[in-house]
Amino acid sequence: MTPNLIRQASVMLSNLLEFNSPADVKLSEFFRNNRDLGTKERAFVAESVYGVLRRLRFLSAVTANDDNDPDDARKLVLAWMLRIQGMSIREMTPMLSEQQIEWAHTIKAKSTENLPLAVQADVRDWLWEKLVAQYGEGEALIIARSMHESATLDLRVNTIKATRDEVLEKFIAENTTGESSISKTPYSPIGLRMPLRLNIGRHVLFTEGKVEVQDEGSQILAHLVAAKRGMMVADFCAGAGGKTLAIGALMRNTGRLYAFDVSEKRLHNLGQRLKRSGLSNLNAQSISSENDQKLKRLNGKFDRVLVDAPCTGLGTLRRNPDLKWRQTPQDLVELTEKQSRILERAAKFTKPGGRLIYSTCSLLSDENEDIAERFLAKNADFKLLSASEILSQQQINLDTGNYLKLLPHTHHTDGFFAAVFEKLDPKASPAKESKLEVVAVEVPVVTKTKAKKENITESNDIAIKPMTKPKAPAKVAKEKVLKETKVKRTPVKKVIKA
């Protein structure tokens, strides 16, 4: 670390504090304009500015002389090094000017007792109030603090090209990260986790398409879609296609998979990833909006429709800490309106008996349960399925109830929400709609004499048997019931068990 490097980090942070565009975009631009920075220097700049963004309210409190004192990027970087990283003034002195040394002593001595909870949580007041109303004060603080840590590096193994065990063995054999620092993800059967950052983009397993960078939560969502071989599936807000590619691999490269998005740039990135993946069943299409006219021909065609809706992204604050400072209450209102519109449009794609999956990477019920419940209230032809049961069918032991709800401090993933709706089929026979089917048929009643000859036992119980394929009433009538001594035709209800 050098005085110039601290200065570079301060310049970058000052730019980010304008909050007028995503931090990762600005950081990438900064590195392109400063190609002389080495790997370690880039790592320090990125780590320090992201570290400050994660703890901005706390660091602002320890650097400000009064409540109205504006943030100074130079002081904030020093405060991060002293109060978060635990560095001492003595070891930093050779790299600091006299003014910076004076700041350092003031920062180190600043008391942090009795700080407001929103400051301890490092979120804006409006967001803190939302979290407390939904989770309660105690859990809200735990959730917010879990976002202070950087996220692990999660990888998804592309099962079209490799198995998880094969990839794990190769990483360990190369000693790329060491055996103790790479493990299997606890829930996703196709994931690996690395606590330490690895430049995976140049690794042969990545360039050959055997692994993709993807949070375990996104991998779980791909399994929740439960797409089967030969199905027709749509990812309506595909973005760069991480979940699309995961779904395609789970379909074993069969059926038809469509990726829609309003951003041609994101779909271009999907195209690059598609080349590595080995998938051939994917069709990416740019659309102007959810109401693009060319979508009409696809109404009622899809077995599965995924809507990973645009959202506040507040479940991804470990990776994108700038979002908690950039998002506003008005943004939330506009996003919830957009989410409802997109979900309503996507519902038209779903064929009878098909499933519609709604998801966000948000922690707020405004974008999650509230949207799902309004959709169900408005669309009587859809019903809610249990996310936990669907995951259990995929051999994933994760029970969060009817909805999928992932939290960083509990599941060690990004914050995720998902709801699965099934479109009812009005033409389906009752046998397909329920476990028990009641069929009214006419059954001949025989005399006791005839019963003895045909070895029929006398019973008034309703016959229950496993249902195979429903037969016509005329054929079902072959079963005999002994009820009277005189032959006559009497309507009897027969229950067939599904």
Side-chain angles (χ1 to χ4, degrees), residues 386-407:
S386 169
S388 296
E389 290 183 9
I390 295 171
L391 291 177
S392 178
Q393 293 165 5
Q394 311 295 313
Q395 282 73 55
I396 296 178
N397 184 23
L398 177 60
D399 188 356
T400 63
N402 286 334
Y403 297 123
L404 173 66
K405 291 188 283 189
L406 302 178
L407 294 170

Side-chain angles (χ1 to χ4, degrees), residues 67 74 85 92 140 200 237 284 327 363 388 403 454 457 477 495:
D67 292 340
R74 297 169 299 173
Q85 295 297 98
M92 291 178 61
I200 195 69
C237 304
Q327 298 288 11
L363 300 169
S388 296
Y403 297 123
E454 296 185 10
T457 58
V495 178

Side-chain angles (χ1 to χ4, degrees), residues 97-140:
S97 66
E98 290 185 8
Q99 184 184 45
Q100 287 174 319
I101 292 173
E102 183 180 337
W103 289 345
H105 282 288
T106 302
I107 290 168
K108 196 76 171 178
K110 190 69 173 285
S111 173
T112 56
E113 291 183 6
N114 302 319
L115 288 177
L117 288 177
V119 176
Q120 296 180 42
D122 275 291
V123 295
R124 292 194 188 277
D125 289 340
W126 75 267
L127 178 55
W128 174 247
E129 292 168 3
K130 283 279 186 185
L131 292 173
V132 170
Q134 183 174 337
Y135 296 100
E137 199 171 81
E139 188 172 10

